[in-house]
Amino acid sequence: MNYVTLNNGVKMPQLGYGVYQTPLEDTERCVLTAIQNGYRSIDTAQAYGNEAGVGRAIVKSGVPREELFITTKIWISNAGYEKAKHSIEASLKKLQTDYVDLLLIHQPFGDYYGTYRAMEEAYKKD
């Protein structure tokens, strides 16, 4: 697997598996199969409605969490400091993990400065 190193020193796999438009009922099976086939980067988002399926697959895979690179995105309706904080916690709960490796603002509209502040705090918790 080839990696790139991000500015914060985190290594990110260059190849990842995305679950955009994957129905919730299929997500767990698809992600589990991807992990079993060597994928270590999984991309999801709050707006996809399938973070819980990704979380179940992560747990069932048996792969140590630190070997996986999980990306999710904060949706526009969760913009702003307080909403973003709550949505980050909700995503972590659905993903069944204490952290994500890459957290993005899905569409930078609204109070994206507040959203960014919430993201910085979540990053510093780790």
Side-chain angles (χ1 to χ4, degrees), residues 60-110:
K60 285 186 178 178
S61 75
V63 174
R65 173 62 185 90
E66 61 273 8
E67 292 182 22
L68 298 171
F69 190 95
I70 308 301
T71 300
T72 196
K73 303 164 199 79
I74 298 172
W75 186 236
I76 189 170
S77 62
N78 293 320
Y81 180 74
E82 288 300 326
K83 285 184 179 180
K85 279 180 57 172
H86 293 294
S87 75
I88 292 166
E89 289 302 317
S91 288
L92 293 174
K93 185 175 181 178
K94 290 175 186 172
L95 291 165
Q96 299 185 47
T97 186
D98 295 332
Y99 67 98
V100 293
D101 300 281
L102 182 60
L103 181 62
L104 303 170
I105 300 174
H106 209 136
Q107 293 183 8
F109 297 112

Side-chain angles (χ1 to χ4, degrees), residues 5 10 12 15-16 18 26 30 37 48 51 54 56-57 64 74 79 81 85-86 97-98 100 102 105 113 119 121:
T5 302
V10 173
M12 179 177 82
L15 180 63
D26 297 331
C30 292
N37 284 303
Y48 301 169
E51 289 176 316
V54 171
R56 289 191 299 272
I74 298 172
Y81 180 74
K85 279 180 57 172
H86 293 294
T97 186
D98 295 332
V100 293
L102 182 60
I105 300 174
Y113 292 113
M119 292 168 65
E121 285 181 14

Side-chain angles (χ1 to χ4, degrees), residues 17-24 27 42-52 54 71-73 75 104 106:
Y17 186 80
V19 295
Y20 175 61
Q21 294 187 333
T22 304
L24 179 58
T27 303
I42 308 296
D43 178 278
T44 188
Q46 295 171 354
Y48 301 169
N50 56 20
E51 289 176 316
V54 171
T71 300
T72 196
K73 303 164 199 79
W75 186 236
L104 303 170
H106 209 136

